[in-house]
Amino acid sequence: MEEATNQEASQGAQDVAKEDGAAKQENQQQNQQQQQNQQQQLQALSQEDKKKLKARIDGNVGTAHVKLEFIDYSKVNLLYGVENINNNTQAQPEEETKDGQADDETSEPPSKRSKKKNRGMNKKRPFREKRADTSLRLCHKLVYGEACQYGDKCMFSHDIAKLMKEKAPDLGSVCYNFETYGKCLRGIMCRYGSSHISADFKNVVDEEKWSRCKNDSVTTNILPKDLQHFLRKRKQKYPKSDKYLAGMSKAAKERREKQKKEQESASETATCTESEKKEVTLKDSTNGGVGEKATSEPSKVVETDASVSNEASGVTDSNATSSVKTSNELSCQSSVLSESGNPESQMKTDQSEVARPGETTGGGSNDEPCQQRSGVVTDEDIIRLRKCEKKTVDFEDKLYLAPLTTVGNLPFRRVCKTYGADITCGEMAVCTNLLQGQASEWALLKRHSSEDVFGVQIAGAFPDTMTKCAEVLNDHIDVDFVDINVGCPIDMIYKKGAGCGLMNRVGRFEEIVRGMDTVLDVPLTVKMRTGVHDKHLVAAKLIPRIFDWGASVVALHGRTREQRYTRSANWDYIGQCVQAAHPYPLLGNGDVLSYEDANLFKEKSGVTGLMIARGALVKPWIFTEIKEQRHWDISSQERYDILQSFVNYGMEHWGSDTEGVEKTRRFLLEWLSFLYRYIPVGILERAPQRINERPPHYVGRNDLETLMASANFNDWIKISEMLLGPVPENFQFLPKHKANSYS
C-alpha cells in the first residue's frame, strides 16, 4: 500500500515538473519571438527616428553623449519603447514585488524603487568556495621540493602521484613565473606546470635565470611568524605606546581633578559671598541707614561698618563679625591660590600635558628613579624625533593613488605604477585585526619593489589600539607614511566609531593623532571627508587642528558620508579647506577622470596634489593622460594587454595553483565591475567623459570593445575565461555593489 502511494506521489511530481518545464519553454519561445519582432522594427527605423531616439537619450541627466552610429538600437528598447519614439512618453519597465506581482499605483514610484534596489552592498553574495580538506592538499614542503619536518604526522598529504592524478588539467602551456624568473614557486601544483614539471613530478628550475632575476620583483612587509605568535598570544611589548597612554590617562585624571577643584572653589566662593551679604544686611539693620549702599557695594560697606563698629561702639559682636569675615576671605583666597599656584607655571604645565600626554618635561619622569648606566649613554628612550627630523614625503604636484578596498590590491597598484602613479597606498586595514595577528589583514600591507613611495592605511576608533598598531608597523614593516582612515562611510566601520565616525568624536580623534605621531618615525597623514551630514560640514574647522595635533598631510574627499558617491564632489569647499590648512599641504580627491578635470579642480581649489580613486579604477592610464596632457583613445587590444598584465601580476602574487588562479579571477571580476564604465574617446561625441555619466547601450568598434563595454557580469566572466581558462563548476559571482552590474 505504501509503495503504491509513493509511486503515485513520484508520478505526480514528475507530471508537475514536466508541466513547469513546458511552461518555461513556452515563455522562452514567446520572449525570443518578441525580441525578434522588436529587432525587425528597430532595423526598419529611419535615420530621422534614430536621431529623435538619440535626442531623448541625451536629454537624460547623467547620460554620456555617444555618437549616433555606435548606439545599439537593439537594446535601447529596454528603456525606450519603439512605439514611443514619436511620443514624449518613456517606457517604464514593469517592477515586480517579492511575491512576483507588479506593484500597484499606491506604492512608491518606479524611479525610487529602482534607485533603492540598485544602491548599497550586495549583502546576499554567494559564499566563496570552501577550502579543500587538508588531507587532500599537498604538503607545501613537497610543493617546493623540500623534505617535510613532520613526516607521517603531517596533516597534509604526501602522496604526490595520487594528487597529480586528481589535479585539474592545466590552463595553458606557458607559466608566466617560470618564463620570467626561471622558477615557479607553486611547483608541481601550478596550473601551467607542463612547462616546468618533469616526468617524475619534480619542479624544474632555470638556475641561471633565477639567480639573475629573483630580485627583480620582491614583495616586502610579510608578517614574520615570531611576530604573529607574539601578537596572538598577546606577548608583544609596546613601550612607546604604554608611555603615551600612561601620560594620557594621567593628564586626563589631573584634568578631572582640576575641574573638580574648580567646581568646589566656585561653590566655596559662592558660599562666602552669601555669608558676607547676610553679615552686611545684619549690620545694616543694627546701624541703620546704609542698607541700599551695602547692597550695591558690599565690600566697601563691610569694611566701613567694621571700622565704625570697632571705633565707635566697641561692641564685641562687631569684632566677632569682622573676624569671621576676615577668616572667610582668607580661606577663599588660600583655596584659590592652592589650586592655581603660579599662573604662568601652571599654564605651561597644562600646555605641555595637553600637547603631548605621555611626554615628561626635564628629560624624564619624576616618579622614576635615575638609573645608573655603563657605557655610552643615549637619550633615544627619553627624547623622541621632532617633526622636522622625521622622514619627509613630498606630495606637491604628485599623483596619489588612493587606498581602495578590495580592488586596490598589490597587482592593481603595479598596473597603476606602470602608467605613472607617483604615490601608492595599501588597502584599509583594521587595527584590531592587525594586533590579533590575522594573516589576511597583514596581507593588505604588502609592498612591491616597484612602489617607491608607499604608505599603509589603518582604521580604528580608540587611541590605545591605534597607537599600539602604529608602533608595531613602525618597528616591523617598511613604509614611507601611515594614513588614518577618517573617510570610510560603510556602516560596519562607522557604527564602531571609526572611519567617518571619528569626525563626531573630536576628543578621541585628537588622542589617536597625537598618540600615533608620538610613536611613528615616518609622516602621519589623514584621509577624511567634508563631514558626516550634508548640512553640517566640519572639515574646515577640523583640518587646522589636525595639523596642530601632529599630522603632516591631509587628503580631503569632497563628499559627506550621507552623500557617499552621489552628486558631484564639492571642490569649492575643498578650496576653503586649503585656505584653512595654509601653510600645510592638503590633497584633493573626487571626480577626477581626465587631465581636464585635474587641471580644473587643481586651479579652482589650489590643492597641493591630487588623490585619484575611482578614476584609476575606470581607466588606470589616467596618470599618463594627466602627465602628458592628452586624451588617450586607447584601443581594445591595449586594454586587454592591461588585463593580461594584471593576471600575470596576480598569479605572481597569489600563486599559479588552483587557489591562486581563482583568487586572481575574483579580483579581476571586481575590477571589471568598474572598467566597463569607460567609454572610448573615439565613440564619444564630446570628450572628456564625466565620472558620474553612464553611456546608453552602444556597440564598440570591434567585438572585443563591445564585450568590454557590457554591464552584464556574465560577459565579465567570459573575459576572465579568455585570460584564466574556464571557471570551475558551480561558479558564482556577484559584484560587491548593487549598482555595478545588471543582467
Side-chain angles (χ1 to χ4, degrees), residues 95 109-120 566:
E95 295 283 341
S111 59
K112 288 189 177 181
R113 291 201 306 274
S114 60
K115 190 173 183 181
K116 286 185 178 180
K117 186 177 180 180
N118 291 327
R119 291 184 65 182
T566 59

Side-chain angles (χ1 to χ4, degrees), residues 114-145:
S114 60
K115 190 173 183 181
K116 286 185 178 180
K117 186 177 180 180
N118 291 327
R119 291 184 65 182
M121 181 181 293
N122 277 319
K123 296 182 179 179
K124 296 184 179 180
R125 303 177 75 203
F127 292 102
R128 297 184 180 181
E129 293 83 0
K130 294 182 179 180
R131 287 191 174 187
D133 186 11
T134 54
S135 61
L136 302 177
R137 297 174 62 190
L138 188 64
C139 176
H140 69 280
K141 290 288 185 179
L142 300 183
V143 172
Y144 299 146

Side-chain angles (χ1 to χ4, degrees), residues 704-720:
L704 181 58
E705 194 167 70
T706 303
L707 183 63
M708 289 181 171
S710 174
N712 189 333
F713 63 83
N714 293 313
D715 291 330
W716 308 342
I717 295 176
K718 292 179 183 178
I719 296 175
S720 75

Side-chain angles (χ1 to χ4, degrees), residues 5 82 223 262 278 293 306 367 408 698:
T5 305
V82 178
L223 175 63
E262 287 178 352
K278 290 180 180 179
K293 190 175 181 181
D367 299 334
Y698 69 92

